[in-house]
Amino acid sequence: MVKFLKVTNAPNTGQLISLNGIKAVGTSGATATTVTVDYVDGTTTTITTAAQVGSDVYLAIVNSAEIALATSWLKPYYELELPKAVTSIANA
C-alpha cells in the first residue's frame, strides 16, 4: 500500500504528498520558500510556502514522513499542517 502526507493547510484542501519511492527531501536554506521531495522515478514534488524559519517546513515534512511510515498500513495518509502558509504543492 502507498502512504501519503495529507497537507491540511494547502490551497487545495487535503493535497497529498506521496511517500512511496522518496530518495531525498531538501531545501536550499533555513529561510527558503520551497522544499523539494525527489523520487526514484525522477519526479519531484515542490512545496512552496512563506519563508521558513530555521528550516521549519522542511523539518515538519521529514518528521511527519517518518511518523507516517511507522503507522499501520491500514492508515494510508498522515495529516499535517505545515508551520507556514502553503502557496502551492506541485509534482513534475
Side-chain angles (χ1 to χ4, degrees), residues 7-70:
V7 181
T8 60
N9 63 328
N12 297 323
T13 304
Q15 281 188 271
L16 301 175
I17 298 171
S18 177
L19 297 176
N20 194 42
I22 289 178
K23 70 176 181 180
V25 178
T27 189
S28 62
T31 59
T33 59
T34 59
V35 174
T36 57
V37 180
D38 298 322
Y39 298 94
V40 295
D41 68 0
T43 61
T44 298
T45 296
T46 302
I47 301 99
T48 305
T49 65
Q52 298 180 73
V53 174
S55 300
D56 57 349
V57 175
Y58 165 81
L59 292 170
I61 291 169
V62 169
N63 293 336
S64 295
E66 182 179 1
I67 294 167
L69 292 170

